[in-house]
Amino acid sequence: AGGDPGAAFDRLLAELDASPDVPGWADGPHAQTMLLDIVGQYLYGGAETRAALLELLGAAAAGDLGPLTETYRAIVSGPGGGYRYGAYLATECADDVGEPVSDEEAAASLRRSMEAAPRINGNSDPALWEPIAAEPGMCALQPLEASKLPRGIDAAGAGPALVVTTTGDPATPIESARAAVRDLEDAHLLVTRAAGHLGFDLARWRPTERRSKCVLDTVHAFLLEDVVPVERVRCSNKRQ
């Protein structure tokens, strides 16, 4: 309680950097990398994940890397664990070629990112963060001259689609999900009252919660039993 949280985080990073090996994980990532990756993941979760993140940081500061290690294992082995940013960027660039961006503009984007989050960007692997920070200019470097994304997508004749979202997704906001439902010929919306990215993944990470069971049951019924919701589905931890 109290004190300077930024300074405490810096001390923890320095301690982990001085003793980078993770007990019981000889071929795993260094402890500092593990911590930074987890912080990045938890920042997607909003207020709901703040308490859990503080517990992990407190345990690590006290010399116990067990909770940190188990959380990281769950992230890399769970939904999205095989995700690679390059694959995302290749798809994104094929969909939206983007406006030409100069080397100077791309470098300025990177500098702004480093200034806004020096602890995360300044200590992380540049191979990961530099492309993300400079994303506005990445698509302009490819040979494509026009988007491969067809306009006016309505998926006519494709059958029903289930669009899953959360009320507090910082990366893909609920407004985008609502727009997709409006645009598609036969789409149905499933909304999870939660702060975090990707409603189905959140449910898989927290399967014991009431709202997670609601999401998983609805998605599984849709995919495995062809059960299409007759109206918008809302999932929360409140008793219905």
Side-chain angles (χ1 to χ4, degrees):
D4 184 344
F9 188 75
D10 290 340
R11 286 195 298 272
L12 176 57
L13 285 175
E15 291 169 2
L16 295 180
D17 192 41
S19 302
D21 293 333
V22 179
W25 199 344
D27 59 345
H30 287 174
Q32 189 185 66
T33 300
M34 215 165 51
L35 175 64
L36 291 167
D37 284 351
I38 289 173
V39 170
Q41 289 280 342
Y42 273 57
L43 287 178
Y44 268 120
E48 293 189 14
T49 57
R50 177 180 173 82
L53 178 59
L54 290 177
E55 287 183 10
L56 292 175
L57 294 176
D64 181 8
L65 295 181
L68 199 69
T69 304
E70 291 307 310
T71 300
Y72 190 82
R73 286 185 190 274
I75 290 174
V76 299
S77 64
Y83 167 84
R84 291 294 179 269
Y85 186 73
Y88 159 78
L89 198 58
T91 303
E92 181 77 3
C93 290
D95 289 346
D96 186 4
V97 174
E99 296 296 325
V101 176
S102 68
D103 291 343
E104 291 77 14
E105 289 172 318
S109 174
L110 175 58
R111 285 195 301 272
R112 288 193 297 271
S113 176
M114 298 289 285
E115 291 168 359
R119 289 187 173 88
I120 299 297
N121 292 342
N123 290 286
S124 298
D125 182 357
L128 171 65
W129 286 104
E130 287 184 13
I132 296 177
E135 183 174 322
M138 294 299 288
C139 293
L141 302 178
Q142 65 170 339
L144 287 178
E145 296 180 357
S147 171
K148 291 185 177 181
L149 184 66
R151 300 302 175 185
I153 297 176
D154 58 11
L162 183 64
V163 179
V164 184
T165 187
T166 71
T167 54
D169 190 328
T172 51
I174 190 172
E175 289 77 12
S176 297
R178 289 170 176 158
V181 171
R182 288 195 301 269
D183 292 343
L184 297 175
E185 180 185 68
D186 184 9
H188 307 265
L189 188 62
L190 190 165
V191 179
T192 309
R193 184 172 294 279
H197 186 43
L198 304 177
F200 184 65
D201 280 356
L202 283 178
R204 293 184 63 188
W205 286 328
R206 310 167 187 170
T208 59
E209 294 184 0
R210 178 183 297 274
R211 63 187 174 192
S212 297
K213 187 176 187 303
C214 170
V215 172
L216 296 175
D217 287 350
T218 304
V219 172
H220 290 164
F222 177 79
L223 294 177
L224 303 178
E225 302 169 16
D226 294 327
V227 177
V228 179
V230 295
E231 58 185 14
R232 180 171 56 182
V233 180
R234 298 179 179 87
C235 297
S236 74
N237 283 334
K238 294 182 178 180
R239 292 186 177 276
Q240 303 298 320

